[in-house]
Amino acid sequence: MTTKARLALPALFLSLLLLSGCSQLSAPAHAQNAAPSPLQFVSNWGTKGDDPGQLDDPQSIAVDTVGNVYIANAGNAFIEKFSSNGTPLLAFQENRLKQPQSIAVDDGGAMYITDPARSTIYVVFPRSERDVHRILRLRTRPSSENSLSVSVDDEGMIYVLDQDAGKVFTFSPRLRLWRSWIPSPERVRVSYRKRTLNMGPVHVGGDGNVYVADPDSNRLLRFDHLGRFLGDISSHPPKMDTVAESSAATSAAGAAHDGSPALGTITSEFAVSRKYIFVMDVNATTLHVWNLDGSSKLDFDLSDRLGQMQHRAPALALSRDGKDLYVLDSVNCRVLRYRVNF
């Protein structure tokens, strides 16, 4: 072999090595430039149990202004406070709080917890020395079968929806009844004949309006703070001729990610940011995201984290900036946190 040939072989080997290295480096760079998922899974946390900091039949979830997460447990009657990553910060029980159901948190950190068994709202005002507890009583019939939901707006106005009464009760920040109003008179009249009313919960959206779920009519009702009706947002599934067609459409809705119109039927579990509405499908694993005008933004399948066999739709809560979505997986006693990338 000539001297020239001997010099050429190492040069060729070095060139191949550099090309291989460039190829290996280009793949991660390409992956980094890929668009993130519209809902990016961040973490999950929570442990089933009866002790403080553990979850047992969690009913509802709320988020405060700094991102702390609050959960009302029906199984162990604990009210829990966690950091956004699941670190336990507070847990308490109260003898006067028999059946915790719905929870809300105002801008000052006060907690509002409903108890349908006693027809009351239990209020905890944080203070520097100690928490001040108050009881807000409703003049309606106590019932463990009733649904009482609560929400608070930026001005401290408190909205309580009593499903049995078919009314929203509005209280001032001083816990004085200000007004009551009926979200859907037609539905209430029908409910009196049937003696049932599947309406609620009530949520104040990030846009400042008041929303009430009406799952039997497959819609959300929108009101201003005075209870004046502003419109409804609905999802109407297409009519199916056969069971097979219906099953295929439901599967397509669960797998859709392209913003096509929702095909499913909504539940009462929803949350509203300043721009979007997040609502769970009746299949308990598909999340529908709508624009505030009711047009579809996207559908997202949560079954890879929730599991396929969910018999209860998870409750939802959003951070105040709308960038973090918390999904309360009651079946498995845990919280899933997603980053909203739109």
Side-chain angles (χ1 to χ4, degrees), residues 150-197:
V150 61
S151 192
V152 187
D153 67 16
D154 292 341
E155 304 300 322
M157 300 298 293
I158 308 159
Y159 303 87
V160 180
L161 188 143
D162 186 315
Q163 182 171 273
D164 278 358
K167 291 183 179 181
V168 175
F169 298 92
T170 306
F171 297 87
S172 73
R174 295 181 177 272
L175 308 186
R176 295 180 178 177
L177 181 63
W178 185 50
R179 66 170 61 229
S180 64
W181 42 280
I182 300 174
S184 180
E186 294 79 9
R187 293 272 287 108
V188 170
R189 283 196 290 270
V190 170
S191 75
Y192 284 157
R193 291 195 295 270
K194 296 181 178 180
R195 298 189 181 278
T196 59
L197 177 66

Side-chain angles (χ1 to χ4, degrees), residues 250-258 286 299-301:
T250 301
S251 299
H257 291 265
D258 58 358
T286 302
D299 295 337
F300 198 86
D301 186 5

Side-chain angles (χ1 to χ4, degrees), residues 10 15 81 90 106 111 117 168 178 203 247 297:
S15 297
K81 178 181 178 181
L90 173 70
D106 67 19
M111 290 174 275
V168 175
W178 185 50
H203 286 306
S247 177
K297 174 70 175 178

